[in-house]
Amino acid sequence: MDKKVIPLRSDNITQGKARAPNRSMYYGMGYKETDFGKPMVGVANGHSTITPCNSGLQKLADAAVKGIEEAGGNPQIFGTPTISDGMAMGTEGMKYSLVSREVIADCIETCVQGQWMDGVVVIGGCDKNMPGGLMGMLRANVPAIYVYGGTILPGKWKGEDLNIVSVFEAVGQNAAGKISDQELKDIEQHAIPGTGSCGGMYTANTMSSAFEALGISLPYSSTMANPHDEKMNSAKESAKVLIEAIKKDIKPRDIVTKKAIENAVAVIMATGGSTNAVLHFLAIAHAAGVEWTIDDFERIRKKTPVICDLKPSGKYLAVDLHRAGGIPQVMKLLLNAGLLHGDCVTITGQTIAEVLKDIPDAPPAGQDVIRSIKDPMYEQGHLAILKGNLSPEGAVAKITGLKNPVITGPARVFDDEQSALQAILDGKIKAGDVMVLRYLGPKGGPGMPEMLAPTGALIGAGLGESVGLITDGRFSGGTWGMVVGHVAPEAAAGGNIALVHEGDSITIDAHQLKLELNVADAELAKRRAAWKAPAPRYTRGVQAKFAFNAASASKGAVLDNF
């Protein structure tokens, strides 16, 4: 494989007399004639000052450019957008978050294919940067590597570590009279100390960890902190590894196979990762052309224990996981237990087993972030797929951190997030209630917004274990509690969640994997006959396009499921 001469895609636009006008454009950017024999390598740079997650990415892009140049490539930098989930949460802007996943994928596919690049380094930080980036990489299917922007360092207040979820929960604590207005302000001002993505095993760190498990990112890179020099060094090394992958013609679809996705999902389960990983890996598998369904997550969950004690339901942050051995240590434990496929290829050309060969067989002594397979946090994974008459296509429940993930109670019905949040803050939600937040799915939201504001308020009010919440929207990776999201079919598509009335009995039973509306079929048929689909909330622009094209959450809410 190493000796095979792989023709460059860029030869089609930079060589031969007929290509002189094309070359002229490159001369205008400072290229020399000798440059045209080098690979043209894209650097998809997600840097922005929109969010701390991405405001520290430029130094990584600069490092990647140096790595490409030192390894004999021509770097071609282009931008990708981002939306800050943490800033948009609870606002109309949150409806653009999932939309941005598709926009990012489109940007990367368009630039890589339009400029006929030989490879691409994708650099991103906030939640949708990862799945959007990988989807674009898979569509273009030229050699590619993902560089995660890195996690944030913890904030500090009164000797305690803080993170973004601390603020949302503090809002609920303040409303319940547990902390003062000044204490809320202090937490708000100290939670985010600098650059990097949200610090727990929330969506960004979940997806970065999964990418490392896939083999599309370098070992240890997923848990590095953005402010640390090792993050820049890793970005530079990633670029050099990509140049070798171009020579060997290792493409994303060679790496992202069904077995590799099984590895990634096993790591997601072992680390207690975000519910959003279900939605995103359905979309990633679709882009990769891999057969993968929502039921496959349940198959992996049943045999994979949770072995990491990480927030939101645990104690530790990503920086603590990094010090304890990072994702390679987690993967080595899973590999030794027969829970990973060691023969999957990585972007380095090595297999997973070869990458992990020198990793210790046991986690380091003196730490309890990573536990042994024989002494897990939970015997089975935490992302359960619930089905029933409320979710015949499936719904996603995060069941770790709960003493008893079973509740039957009266429905408290809300057709928007803001009224639901206000009801919590006003003390109108009581223990035993089951909140129903609907018309918030891919089509109904549109854009399937996350519900961190109401779920954080429930936790802050002390109702996290005693109030159920179901939605056809999504949850932040920082959410935990008696919550069920991604209910499909969604309300806007006529799913049974649209037929729930105030006071109806609803059962959430994670033990039996059930989500049931305890109403007779005849009554549901009567309600369905009277139901009318709501008018679209947007009729022009990106939101209208998303709502029109989006598949069900059970299909990853992709826009090209034709």
Side-chain angles (χ1 to χ4, degrees):
M1 189 174 185
D2 290 341
K3 295 180 180 179
K4 182 180 177 182
V5 177
I6 307 296
L8 297 176
R9 297 175 97 218
S10 55
D11 289 347
N12 291 315
I13 58 172
T14 60
Q15 293 185 10
K17 292 181 180 179
R19 300 303 182 187
N22 307 70
R23 293 200 303 271
S24 181
M25 301 289 281
Y26 287 98
Y27 284 129
M29 294 187 291
Y31 280 63
K32 299 177 181 178
E33 187 170 0
T34 53
D35 288 326
F36 296 128
K38 301 175 183 178
M40 300 290 186
V41 183
V43 179
N45 183 7
H47 173 81
S48 75
T49 56
I50 285 176
T51 169
C53 308
N54 289 50
S55 61
L57 298 187
Q58 187 59 50
K59 62 186 179 183
L60 305 187
D62 293 341
V65 165
K66 289 182 181 178
I68 291 167
E69 291 173 339
E70 289 179 9
N74 293 317
Q76 297 187 311
I77 305 169
F78 61 95
T80 61
T82 194
I83 294 295
S84 172
D85 289 17
M87 293 176 178
M89 203 73 68
T91 74
E92 190 72 6
M94 187 65 224
K95 295 178 180 179
Y96 286 84
S97 170
L98 187 59
V99 174
S100 75
R101 184 189 75 179
E102 303 301 316
V103 175
I104 292 164
D106 290 350
C107 282
I108 292 168
E109 178 188 4
T110 299
C111 286
V112 170
Q113 297 293 68
Q115 293 300 121
W116 213 241
M117 294 174 183
D118 298 300
V120 61
V121 179
V122 180
I123 305 170
C126 204
D127 294 3
K128 307 309 171 294
N129 295 185
M130 266 74 71
L134 182 52
M135 289 161 65
M137 289 156 64
L138 286 162
R139 291 181 198 168
N141 202 35
V142 300
I145 193 166
Y146 201 95
V147 174
Y148 177 45
T151 189
I152 199 169
L153 295 171
K156 296 285 186 181
W157 183 69
K158 289 187 174 181
E160 297 291 327
D161 284 351
L162 297 178
N163 61 88
I164 185 61
V165 177
S166 306
V167 185
F168 285 92
E169 294 181 358
V171 171
Q173 291 172 324
N174 177 257
K178 296 181 179 181
I179 62 173
S180 68
D181 290 350
Q182 184 59 48
E183 287 174 306
L184 172 59
K185 182 180 289 188
D186 288 339
I187 292 170
E188 175 190 13
Q189 293 177 346
H190 291 87
I192 306 298
T195 57
S197 299
C198 299
M201 192 48 69
Y202 311 145
T203 303
N205 286 328
T206 296
M207 296 307 296
S208 70
S209 298
F211 283 13
E212 188 176 324
L214 280 175
I216 204 76
S217 294
L218 293 189
Y220 297 104
S221 64
S222 66
T223 52
M224 293 175 179
N226 177 266
H228 291 167
D229 288 345
E230 65 177 350
K231 190 71 252 187
M232 280 193 298
N233 296 337
S234 179
K236 186 176 182 180
E237 180 61 23
S238 295
K240 292 183 175 182
V241 166
L242 176 62
I243 298 296
E244 292 304 309
I246 291 170
K247 294 176 182 177
K248 298 174 182 177
D249 200 30
I250 302 174
K251 298 187 175 87
R253 291 185 205 168
D254 300 326
I255 297 169
V256 184
T257 62
K258 185 167 187 175
K259 290 201 297 184
I261 292 176
E262 289 180 344
N263 284 352
V265 173
V267 167
I268 291 164
M269 295 295 178
T271 55
S274 167
T275 54
N276 283 308
V278 176
L279 188 79
H280 295 327
F281 265 95
L282 287 165
I284 288 165
H286 176 74
V290 171
E291 290 188 15
W292 187 265
T293 73
I294 197 168
D295 295 320
D296 286 311
F297 292 94
E298 186 61 29
R299 175 172 58 84
I300 302 299
R301 183 191 75 83
K302 288 180 178 178
K303 63 181 181 179
T304 309
V306 180
I307 59 173
C308 296
D309 190 4
L310 298 169
K311 289 181 181 295
S313 58
K315 292 189 293 186
Y316 296 106
L317 297 170
V319 290
D320 302 307
L321 175 61
H322 191 62
R323 285 191 290 265
I327 294 303
Q329 183 64 78
V330 175
M331 291 178 69
K332 186 60 175 284
L333 299 180
L334 295 174
L335 180 67
N336 288 346
L339 298 172
L340 284 190
H341 302 288
D343 58 341
C344 291
V345 71
T346 72
I347 189 63
T348 66
Q350 294 179 298
T351 64
I352 290 291
E354 289 169 340
V355 169
L356 300 176
K357 180 173 63 71
D358 296 325
I359 303 299
D361 291 329
Q367 60 81 41
D368 58 349
V369 183
I370 305 173
R371 300 170 70 155
S372 74
I373 293 285
K374 295 179 180 178
D375 181 33
M377 298 289 296
Y378 305 94
E379 295 288 343
Q380 293 183 323
H382 63 301
L383 297 180
I385 306 302
L386 275 54
K387 292 189 175 183
N389 67 353
L390 265 178
S391 58
E393 292 180 12
V396 184
K398 183 187 260 187
I399 59 177
T400 47
L402 297 174
K403 297 182 180 70
N404 182 29
V406 178
I407 187 173
T408 296
R412 303 297 309 280
V413 182
F414 303 90
D415 289 349
D416 63 86
E417 179 187 2
Q418 287 70 31
S419 59
L421 174 61
Q422 197 60 51
I424 298 167
L425 297 178
D426 290 344
K428 295 178 180 179
I429 303 299
K430 307 298 182 184
D433 287 344
V434 178
M435 300 182 70
V436 179
L437 281 64
R438 64 189 182 187
Y439 294 105
L440 294 165
K443 292 181 178 296
M448 211 178 175
E450 294 180 357
M451 304 290 113
L452 182 56
T455 59
L458 284 173
I459 297 296
L463 297 171
E465 300 232 29
S466 58
V467 169
L469 189 153
I470 70 171
T471 181
D472 50 8
R474 296 183 296 127
F475 293 119
S476 163
T479 293
W480 71 279
M482 184 69 72
V483 296
V484 183
H486 309 196
V487 171
E490 62 175 292
N496 280 348
I497 190 172
L499 308 181
V500 179
H501 285 184
E502 184 82 9
D504 283 347
S505 173
I506 291 178
T507 296
I508 302 170
D509 189 335
H511 292 316
Q512 298 189 57
L513 304 177
K514 288 185 178 181
L515 182 61
E516 293 283 346
L517 175 60
N518 301 313
V519 172
D521 290 345
E523 173 61 20
L524 288 178
K526 181 179 177 182
R527 294 180 188 181
R528 178 168 297 284
W531 178 80
K532 292 183 180 179
R537 288 177 169 156
Y538 290 84
T539 57
R540 292 288 186 274
V542 67
Q543 285 284 12
K545 288 189 285 186
F546 187 93
F548 183 82
N549 288 292
S552 168
S554 66
K555 302 290 186 181
V558 296
L559 303 187
D560 58 351
N561 187 38
F562 308 126

